[in-house]
Amino acid sequence: MQSEIKLYVNRLDSVENVIPYEYDTFDFCQLAQETSPVENLGQVVFGERIKSSPYNFTFGKNQQCTNVCQKTYSLKEVKEKAHLAFLKKGIMLNYQQHWIVDNMPVTWCYEVEGGQTYCSPGFPVGCYVDKQGRRKDACVIDSNYGNKETYYVFNHVNVTIRYHPLAEKDGVNRIVAVKVEPISIKHRPGKPGECLTSASLSPDYEPMAIPANMDNEATITVNYTYNVVFVADEKVRWASRWDYILESMPHTNIQWFSIMNSLVIVLFLSGMVAMIMLRTLHKDIARYNQLDTEEAQEEFGWKLVHGDVFRPPRKGMFLSVLLGSGVQIFVMTFITLVFACLGFLSPANRGSLMTCVLVLYVCLGTPAGFVSARMYKTFGGEKWKSNVILTAFLIPGIVFADFFVLNSVLWVKHSSAAIPFSTLIALLALWFCVSTPLVFLGAYFGYKKRPMEFPVRTNQIPRQIPDQSFYTRPIPGIVMGGVLPFGCIFIQLFFILNSIWSHQFYYMFGFLFVVAIILVITCSEATILLCYFHLCAEDYHWWWRSFLTSGFTAVYFFIYCVHYFVSKLTITGGASVFLYFGYTFIMVLLFFLFSGTCGFFACFWFVSKIYSVVKVD
C-alpha cells in the first residue's frame, strides 16, 4: 500500500543575518490552502514557522523532473521587482531553506576539509558570485556557477529518501534519512519537465542565473522542479536515524578535552582549598582555642574581624533580590539538564528545550521569593513589600523589556522570529498570574522563618580596615576570581554559541551537565579561596565581593561572545548586530546571576563554618 509523504517547510535563516524569515516571504511555491502543525511555546519563541508545501511524494514511487510551479518576475511591476530583489538579497546573504519529512530535517551533505562529510540541516536558496569572482560556499560545488555579479537560484532539488524495509514484520517501512542536492538549472521555455539529474549533468548545462544589473524591461522566469528517489537501507535502524546528522557535528574528543581541562582546574583549586582548610585553618583554630598561654590569646589574621564579619552589607535588599533570582535560575538550569540527559529534550522534540526552560522558570518563583525574603530578613531589612515586588519584577522585567525591544525590531523587519502579540500576552499572563503569586507565596514562608543565626556577635562600632595591598583590593580580586571558572566552560561555550548562531544541533547534554557541576565547584572554590585571603588581610566586606567574584565570570563570557562575533561570524547589517548583542545581554545577565549565587552561598557556608569553631571571648 502506497502512502503519501508530507513535506513541511520551516523558516529560512542565515549565518550572515540574524533575522529569519518565513518560507512564503521569498515567494517560493506555495499551496492555495496551507496547513500548519500545532507548534508549542518553545517553537513560537524560537521563531519556527512550519507550514505544508506543494512538494508531493508517494512512498516507493520515484519521480523525475516533476514540476512544482513557475514564477515570473517582470521588472515593470513594482511588486514583482520587489520579490525578485528580496530573493537576490537572500541569495547574497546565504539564506538556508529548512525542510522537514517525518519529523526529520532534510539534510544537504557535502565534503569538507579532511575528506569528511558534513550534513547540514538546511540547504541554500542559491549562491552569489561578486565582482571579484569570489564565490559563496554553495557556488563552489559546481564550476558552472562562475559568472561575476550573478545570482544562481537553486530551483531544482534531487531528493533521496532512504527507508528501513520492515514490510515483512509489521507492514511498515520507516524513513531513516532524507537528503537533498540543490541544483540551479535553466529549463527550456515551456518545457520545465526536461531537467537533469545529478548523475547525468552535462558539463555545459546552463544554470538559472540572474544578473546583478538588469534592464527595467526584462522578465525573469524561474521553474521549480524536483526528482525523488527511494532507497532501501537495512543497515540504519529507525531508532538511530538521527545519528548521521549528529555525527557530522563537532566530535566528542573535543568534548572530552573540555572535561579534562575543567577537571584539572577543579583539582588544582580543590588542592588549594584543602591546603587552607586542613593546614592553615586547622592550625589557626587549634591555636585560637588554646587558653593556657597569653600568646595564644593574641588575635591576628581573620579572627580579628570576628566582630564585623557578619555586619549586614550595604544595599542588602538589592543583593537579596539578586540571590533569589539566582537560585531560581540555578534550580531551573539543573532540572532542565536532568530532563535533557534523560532524553526528553532531544532535537527530535522541536521546541521542547525552550518550553521546558520557560515553564520551569515560571514555576520556580517560590524558591526565588523564599531565598530573597530569608536573606533580606537576615540582613535586618524592614521594607519587606519592596523586597517582594523587586524579586517578582526586577530581573524578569529587565529580561522582558530587552526581549520586547528585540521583538519590535523583528516586527519591523517582518521576521518569522517576531513573536505574535497573542504569544506575548500569554508570556505576560504566565509572569503575572503564575510566577508573581508564587514569588509572593515563597516570600511569605521566608518571612515567617526566623533570621539566620550567626556564630559570632557583631560589634556596634565598625572596625577600621587597614590599607590593602594591590592583590587584596576589591577590584583585582573580583577580576581574578572569574578567570578559572571561565577556563572550565569556554570550550562548551563555543559549541553552545554555534548551535544558536550557526544553526547547528546541540545534543551533548551529558557533557554540559558535567561541565555545569564543575562550574559550580570552581566558582565556589575560587570564591572561598579569595574570601579567605581578604579576611586574613582584615577586610570583612565579603558579602557583595563573594557574589561579584564568581559573577565576574559573566564578563569573560561577554568578552568571549564579542570575540566569537568578530572571528567566527560574518553577520552584516545594523539590525542583526543589535539583535546579536541584545540576545547576548540576556544570556550574560542570567549567567551572572547563576555564577554569582553559587559563589555567594559557598562563601556564606565557609565563613559561617570557620567562625563557628573558634572560641570568642
Side-chain angles (χ1 to χ4, degrees), residues 119-136:
C119 290
S120 169
F123 63 95
V125 175
C127 67
Y128 172 67
V129 183
D130 62 15
K131 294 180 180 179
Q132 287 76 32
R134 291 175 298 192
R135 302 187 290 177
K136 295 283 186 180

Side-chain angles (χ1 to χ4, degrees), residues 314-334:
R314 298 177 181 176
K315 309 293 181 182
M317 179 185 290
F318 187 45
L319 179 59
S320 63
V321 169
L322 296 182
L323 291 171
S325 298
V327 167
Q328 186 178 12
I329 294 165
F330 179 88
V331 178
M332 175 202 74
T333 300
F334 276 96

Side-chain angles (χ1 to χ4, degrees), residues 310 374 378 450-457 604 608 612:
F310 291 107
R374 189 84 195 280
T378 300
R450 296 182 60 184
M452 297 181 188
E453 294 184 0
F454 299 130
V456 290
R457 289 179 297 179
F604 183 72
S608 300
S612 66

Side-chain angles (χ1 to χ4, degrees), residues 449-559:
K449 294 184 73 69
R450 296 182 60 184
M452 297 181 188
E453 294 184 0
F454 299 130
V456 290
R457 289 179 297 179
T458 301
N459 296 334
Q460 292 184 352
I461 301 174
R463 179 185 179 86
Q464 186 175 359
I465 299 174
D467 292 335
Q468 300 292 306
S469 64
F470 175 78
Y471 298 103
T472 56
R473 289 176 183 172
I475 293 179
I478 291 171
V479 171
M480 289 187 295
V483 174
L484 290 177
F486 177 75
C488 294
I489 63 169
F490 78 96
I491 296 177
Q492 282 295 325
L493 280 181
F494 174 76
F495 295 118
I496 293 172
L497 293 177
N498 265 355
S499 68
I500 296 173
W501 303 114
S502 297
H503 314 296
Q504 297 180 2
F505 288 113
Y506 187 91
Y507 65 98
M508 295 182 180
F509 292 105
F511 284 106
L512 187 60
F513 183 73
V514 174
V515 169
I517 293 175
I518 292 174
L519 173 65
V520 172
I521 297 172
T522 311
C523 285
S524 303
E525 292 180 342
T527 308
I528 288 173
L529 202 61
L530 290 169
C531 179
Y532 174 76
F533 292 149
H534 287 115
L535 290 176
C536 287
E538 301 177 28
D539 186 352
Y540 52 84
H541 293 308
W542 63 273
W543 297 99
W544 271 106
R545 186 179 296 157
S546 62
F547 187 89
L548 296 175
T549 297
S550 53
F552 200 81
T553 311
V555 176
Y556 295 108
F557 181 7
F558 177 75
I559 294 172

Side-chain angles (χ1 to χ4, degrees), residues 305-364:
V305 295
H306 67 81
D308 298 274
V309 71
F310 291 107
R311 189 176 302 281
R314 298 177 181 176
K315 309 293 181 182
M317 179 185 290
F318 187 45
L319 179 59
S320 63
V321 169
L322 296 182
L323 291 171
S325 298
V327 167
Q328 186 178 12
I329 294 165
F330 179 88
V331 178
M332 175 202 74
T333 300
F334 276 96
I335 294 178
T336 302
L337 287 176
V338 169
F339 284 150
C341 291
L342 294 175
F344 295 119
L345 308 179
S346 69
N349 300 325
R350 301 176 186 280
S352 58
L353 179 62
M354 179 57 73
T355 303
C356 180
V357 166
L358 290 173
V359 171
L360 283 175
Y361 183 82
V362 167
C363 294
L364 289 170

